[in-house]
Structures are given as structure tokens and as C-alpha cells.
Amino acid sequence: MASPRVSRRALVQGAAISAGLVGLGAAGGVGTSTALARRDAQQGWGSDATVPFYGPHQAGIVAVAPAFARYLTFDLLPGTTAEGIRRMLRIITEDSAALAAGNSPLADSEPELAHIPANLTVTLGFGRELVVRAAGPGAVPSWLGPLPAFTVDRLEPRYTGGDLLVIVQSDDPLSVSHAARVITRQTQSFVAPRWSLDGFRRSPGAAPSGTTMRNLFGQVDGTQGPHPGDEAFARSVFGEGVNTGNPAWLAGGTGFVLRRIAMDLDTWDEVDRHDRERAVGRRLDNGAPLTGEHEHDAADFSARDNRGLPVIPDFAHMRRARATSAQEVFARRGYNYEVEQGVGDRPEAGLLFEAIGYDPSKQFVPTQRRLDQMDMMNLWITPVGSAVYAIPPGCEPGGYIGQTLV
Amino acid sequence: MPSAGIDVGLSIGLTDNCVRKEIMTTTTTTMFLATSTVAALALSGCQTPPAQLEVSGAWAKAADEGMTGVFAEISNPSNQSVTIVGGESEAANRIELHEVADGVMREKPEGFALAAQSTHVLEPGADHIMLMGLNGPLEPGETVSITLELDSGDTLEVVADVRDFAAANEEYVPGHGGEE
């Protein structure tokens, strides 16, 4: 069943499209006449579907996750100083704000590609090296650095680390590509690309908005909150009401663990449906816990079947991943990926997994330790990339992302 | 278009017997630029109030040395025609007004004419401002200030954001005193 929130959004979008509303009267920037000509019946969907860029938190952290994402990581060039970082952040901020509003940024060689933001957001994360160069070692949060080693990890150096993370998200993949290109082009004097990867969910409109995504194993993935808007989100993500121990510049920001988790679709094929469900502890048809009927039913971890065995097995992912204390609660989000490896190689399929919380060492790490010790899903999944970033707070017009740091 | 929040002291006394006064015009470009562009018009005559030009989206191509281009959208919302005839900048020895014809960049000695209620786009491959003989590198993320001179004798301040840009490499054929 769709929630009321979902239904309303779907209805609003449907109504706007069927009404064929005329273009927006207010637009801005160079090339406005071109933009206006193209703002036709797509109201409510692409051209005027905008997420406000400015605010106390970065928009991509608090917005509903759109269908497509590109993760870009960069390394600082040797000569990039704090002053250069400041200039780079101003550029990224101005360009991102323009792109989010559907306007072409300065010096955009393909300005027409900017006019359909489709809920575009750009989110910045800082690796340890960037924070050190920007403000010295004293500004580094205690948890900002490589995670402890886990036995399941098979990390590829090229997919691990990075000084700057840029996540571009939108409901339109062409807009994602263009925004990523703009930012890559405009930061070339400061950083060099390290790796980038596209993530995807269902296309907008293919499923009711707000539907929990499915991963490439067919599982409903991401039921466990908190989600943006939930009461627990502000506490566990931004540390509101918590003595986080984080440096002052990170107020309104958060910690961010990015894991590139490869999924072996071939060996998963060998598993029957019953065991697939027991591996996670959830039904495949609707994501409900094996002890419940609906996706968001609370799981009964003490329930036993008629043979006296736990209905949700001891090795089930959801049992092992659940928080053992309020402090361990963090937000999680994922995007599917699938990439060619080269001629003759099988594609690498997997999940780009985000663990978002004010202190990954107290939230993600203890959780991942339990999964590392025992989780049936470890038979089929392998973390191949890993990085930790500090997500700075948002900013207001005239400011820039990272201004509290540098 | 940028919604221009123009706050101009138009109460300026035209009977003030040709006293030079400065009017600051602040255009706030909503939705497009985080940076605001400040246009300053300096009254030097006392016949009629000067046309108030609005500048938006001003940027300059980053360069280590030599010369580089400056681009912007300049609007003339007034009922008088205005011509930009020259200018200066502390960032360069001098500035020139250029056009590009058949892929060749050359100086446009007559300047950029803005008819009443028109907009003139300065962009790569077309009319643009050149900073000649840079006094130092123009690095991405910096700003560069240019004072444009109008045919009325008034001036127009342009603050351009410096950006990396791969194009705008038109072959420059010096002429009319412009070589570097």
C-alpha cells in the first residue's frame, strides 16, 4: 500500500502533466529565452522540478533521493592550498546553485543541457586531506580517515579514499551527466578525478514516488530508517541534541561512509527464494520482515517457528545490522550500479551504499563489525571500495559550501 | 532575466550645474548568479541622466599571462542608445573591445552599440572584451574588475568571475593598435 504522502505526490504530478501547464514566467540568467521555449508541458516533472540549493543542510542529504546519481571523487592537486580550496568551493557552490535552479552556470559550453534540473542536487564531502590543507589537523573530526579493516573487504585502492566527494543526483540522467561535467571542468585547476560511478534506481514515474528501492538481488533495500523528515534523522545524522565531539565547522553537517559493494549475481542465482528471504530476514515480495505482513512492520526477533528455530535467523542481515543502542542509529541510502569491466569480463554489479551519521566510528563501524563477523549476505557481497567524508553544512545565498571550514 | 533591484539615486540634481556625481546601481541577479554585479555610473555631463546599463553573468577566461577574454550580458533598459567605447582594468595593461569574424578575432574600434531597450551578449566566438597584457595570472575562482567607458563619458563597473574555459582561442589578428 502506498502511504498518503506517496499518493499525494503522485496525484500532483499526474495532474500537472495532464493539465499541460504553460511555462514558468520567472526564469533567470543568460539564455533565458531558450529556456522558456523549452519549458512546456513538463511542468511538475523536469524543468521546474527543483530542490532548493540553499539551506542549513546540503540539499542532497535531506531531499528525497532521486532516480539517478553520479558519485565523483577527486584528489587535490599538489599545489592546491587553502586559498585554492576556497576558490574551488565558491565555484562549485555557484555552479551547483545555478544547475539546481535550471540555469546554466558561467562558462557552460552546453547551456541548453542545464534547463531541466529534474530535482537536481549536488552534495559535497571532504576527505581528511582536504580538511587538513584547508584548516590544519586540528580541524579534522576524530573519525575522518580510513575505516578499520574488515575481513570481508577486498578493497581496490582506486575505489578507496579521495579528498573531495561530489554527488550529483537528479531524476534525469542527462542532467546528472551535464552537471558532473560542469563541475569536473570547473575544478580542473584544483583537483584531479579519482573515480566516478553512476548509480540508478527506478525511473521517476515507474513506481510511486517514495517507494523503497530494490537492489539488483531483487530485495527491497532501504526500509530501515531514519529517513529525511523522520524525528530520528536530525539526531542521528546532524547530531541535534547530541554532544557529538565534532569540530564546530561541521555543525549542520554530518559524517558519510561510502562503500562500493560488489554483488555476485551468478552465485545469487544458485539460491532459491526461501533461502534468499532468510538471508536478509525479509520477504522478497514487499520487504516485510519474515515475522510481519507489511514492509514497515516491526520485526519480532524472538519469534520462532514450529521447530523452535528463529523465524528471522541468527545469520540474517536485518538481525545483525539493527542498532543495539540509540547511538548506533544512522541513515542509510543506496544506489545500484552496473559497469562493464572490459572485453570478456563479466560486468561488476553492486550497490553504492551510504551510511550517514554524525560519527561513523560510533554508528557505522560497530554495525559493520557485527556484519563482518556474521551475515549470510557476505556470501554474495564484497566491499571493493570504501571512503569516509565529512559533509559540511549547507549555506545561504552569497555564501559557499565549506565556508565554515575555510 | 535577472530581476534587477535597482536602487538609484535619481533625485540627483540636474540643476546642480554639472557637478560630477556617482550613482551606484546594484543589480541582484536572482536564480543565476550568487555573485552580484555592481554597475556604477558616473555622471559627467548635465544634459540628461545617463542610460543605466545592467550587467549579468560576467566572467573571464582564466589565464596565466598574456591576454584573455571577458564575457557578459549587458542590458540597456533605457530609452537611449549607448555605446561602450573602451575601458580599463588594474589587471591588465589595457583593454580592447573585440569582435570575431570568420573565426578571426579583431578589434572593433567603433565599440559595442546598445540600442535602447536591448541586450548585448558578449560571448566566446562573438563580441567580447579583451584584457591585454595581464599584470599577473587570472586564476579560477578569483574576480577581476573592469571599468568600461561609455560614449556619454560615463563608466560602467564590471566584476567578472574567473573560470577555466577551453575555447575562446580564436586566432588574434592585431590591428588598430592592438597587439601583444
Side-chain angles (χ1 to χ4, degrees):
Chain A
M1 290 293 291
S3 70
R5 180 170 60 97
V6 171
S7 303
R8 195 184 72 234
R9 169 107 189 255
L11 281 171
V12 168
Q13 289 182 340
I17 290 164
S18 59
L21 299 174
V22 295
L24 270 180
V30 177
T32 297
S33 56
T34 317
L36 279 175
R38 293 175 189 196
R39 291 183 182 188
D40 48 19
Q42 294 302 308
Q43 279 238 343
W45 196 257
S47 56
D48 73 337
T50 56
V51 176
F53 177 82
Y54 297 105
H57 311 296
Q58 289 196 61
I61 299 297
V62 293
V64 174
F68 305 103
R70 182 171 296 177
Y71 295 75
L72 304 112
T73 69
F74 300 87
D75 289 329
L76 291 168
L77 296 176
T80 301
T81 61
E83 197 268 335
I85 291 170
R86 187 180 302 114
R87 282 191 279 122
M88 174 183 73
L89 295 173
R90 280 189 180 280
I91 290 172
I92 299 176
T93 298
E94 289 179 16
D95 287 2
S96 300
L99 290 162
N103 296 318
S104 56
L106 295 180
D108 184 357
S109 316
E110 295 80 29
E112 291 81 5
L113 294 181
H115 297 153
I116 301 179
N119 296 313
L120 185 137
T121 60
V122 177
T123 306
L124 300 188
F126 299 161
R128 182 184 184 88
E129 175 66 17
L130 188 148
V131 176
V132 169
R133 280 205 220 172
V140 179
S142 59
W143 42 262
L144 185 56
L147 294 174
F150 300 105
T151 58
V152 294
D153 288 355
R154 299 291 181 271
L155 302 183
E156 294 266 357
R158 61 190 162 139
Y159 301 146
T160 298
D163 301 334
L164 173 70
L165 170 71
V166 178
I167 310 173
V168 180
Q169 292 170 273
S170 169
D171 280 325
D172 182 74
L174 186 54
S175 295
V176 167
S177 184
H178 174 62
R181 175 67 189 146
V182 165
I183 290 167
T184 302
R185 179 194 286 146
Q186 291 301 339
T187 56
Q188 61 183 295
S189 294
F190 310 99
V191 291
R194 185 175 177 86
W195 63 269
S196 75
L197 190 56
D198 283 330
F200 62 92
R201 298 174 167 195
R202 289 206 188 276
S203 297
S209 178
T211 303
T212 306
M213 70 160 255
R214 284 186 185 268
N215 62 34
L216 295 171
F217 283 165
Q219 299 158 331
V220 175
D221 192 328
T223 303
Q224 181 66 49
H227 302 291
D230 292 351
E231 208 171 301
F233 192 86
R235 174 186 168 85
S236 54
V237 170
F238 301 120
E240 288 182 12
V242 179
N243 183 12
T244 63
N246 284 335
W249 68 267
L250 201 54
T254 188
F256 191 95
V257 179
L258 177 60
R259 304 275 283 177
R260 177 172 172 149
I261 302 173
M263 295 161 54
D264 192 330
L265 303 185
D266 291 334
T267 55
W268 183 249
D269 279 350
E270 300 166 2
V271 186
D272 67 31
R273 195 169 176 89
H274 176 71
D275 284 339
R276 288 181 174 196
E277 291 187 328
R278 283 163 47 82
V280 173
R282 291 185 181 277
R283 287 163 51 166
L284 284 164
D285 60 350
N286 66 358
L290 294 179
T291 57
E293 291 296 317
H294 304 294
E295 180 189 348
H296 294 283
D297 288 350
D300 179 359
F301 290 103
S302 63
R304 293 179 177 266
D305 64 17
N306 52 19
R307 293 174 298 167
L309 298 172
V311 176
I312 297 172
D314 291 338
F315 55 68
H317 178 80
M318 78 173 300
R319 181 187 288 275
R320 303 293 298 171
R322 74 192 155 131
T324 60
S325 69
Q327 182 185 260
E328 271 185 21
V329 173
F330 57 91
R332 45 198 92 189
R333 190 168 67 168
Y335 278 90
N336 302 307
Y337 72 88
E338 202 167 12
V339 283
E340 291 295 328
Q341 297 296 294
V343 176
D345 291 335
R346 292 174 306 167
E348 179 191 327
L351 184 75
L352 286 157
F353 174 79
E354 306 172 353
I356 313 171
Y358 63 83
D359 187 341
S361 71
K362 292 175 180 162
Q363 298 170 305
F364 174 77
V365 169
T367 307
Q368 182 57 33
R369 279 197 206 286
R370 285 195 300 278
L371 297 174
D372 194 34
Q373 289 156 2
M374 182 167 69
D375 173 7
M376 186 59 91
M377 290 306 298
N378 288 341
L379 289 174
W380 306 285
I381 65 175
T382 308
V384 296
S386 180
V388 181
Y389 302 97
I391 305 286
C395 69
E396 297 302 319
Y400 60 94
I401 302 296
Q403 67 187 37
T404 53
L405 175 70
V406 62
Chain B
M1 292 307 302
S3 70
I6 305 174
D7 181 15
V8 185
L10 272 183
S11 60
I12 190 157
L14 295 178
T15 59
D16 233 7
N17 211 10
C18 304
V19 178
R20 183 181 178 90
K21 300 207 173 192
E22 296 217 341
I23 304 173
M24 295 296 293
T25 310
T26 305
T27 54
T28 309
T29 57
T30 56
M31 297 173 64
F32 181 62
L33 279 176
T35 47
S36 64
T37 309
V38 177
L41 292 171
L43 263 181
S44 57
C46 52
Q47 293 82 12
T48 53
Q52 296 148 21
L53 302 184
E54 296 169 9
V55 181
S56 66
W59 64 279
K61 175 176 169 167
D64 290 334
E65 58 184 2
M67 58 185 178
T68 196
V70 181
F71 315 94
E73 192 171 88
I74 303 179
S75 297
N76 176 14
S78 78
N79 291 318
Q80 308 160 41
S81 64
V82 182
T83 300
I84 298 168
V85 295
E88 59 182 12
S89 170
E90 290 186 359
N93 288 342
R94 66 180 188 285
I95 80 163
E96 295 180 0
L97 308 179
H98 282 191
E99 63 181 355
V100 177
D102 301 324
V104 176
M105 180 171 83
R106 62 189 180 210
E107 198 172 2
K108 193 173 187 178
E110 70 272 26
F112 305 142
L114 282 81
Q117 298 183 352
S118 74
T119 295
H120 197 81
V121 179
L122 306 179
E123 60 186 351
D127 286 358
H128 60 273
I129 301 162
M130 284 300 281
L131 296 172
M132 309 300 293
L134 290 173
N135 293 325
L138 284 190
E139 299 193 43
E142 294 179 338
T143 58
V144 57
S145 297
I146 298 155
T147 304
L148 293 178
E149 184 188 329
L150 311 182
D151 58 349
S152 60
D154 303 319
T155 58
L156 175 67
E157 287 294 326
V158 174
V159 179
D161 288 4
V162 181
R163 294 301 176 105
D164 271 321
F165 192 71
N169 295 314
E170 292 89 355
E171 185 190 351
Y172 179 45
V173 177
H176 308 285
E179 74 284 333
E180 206 57 47

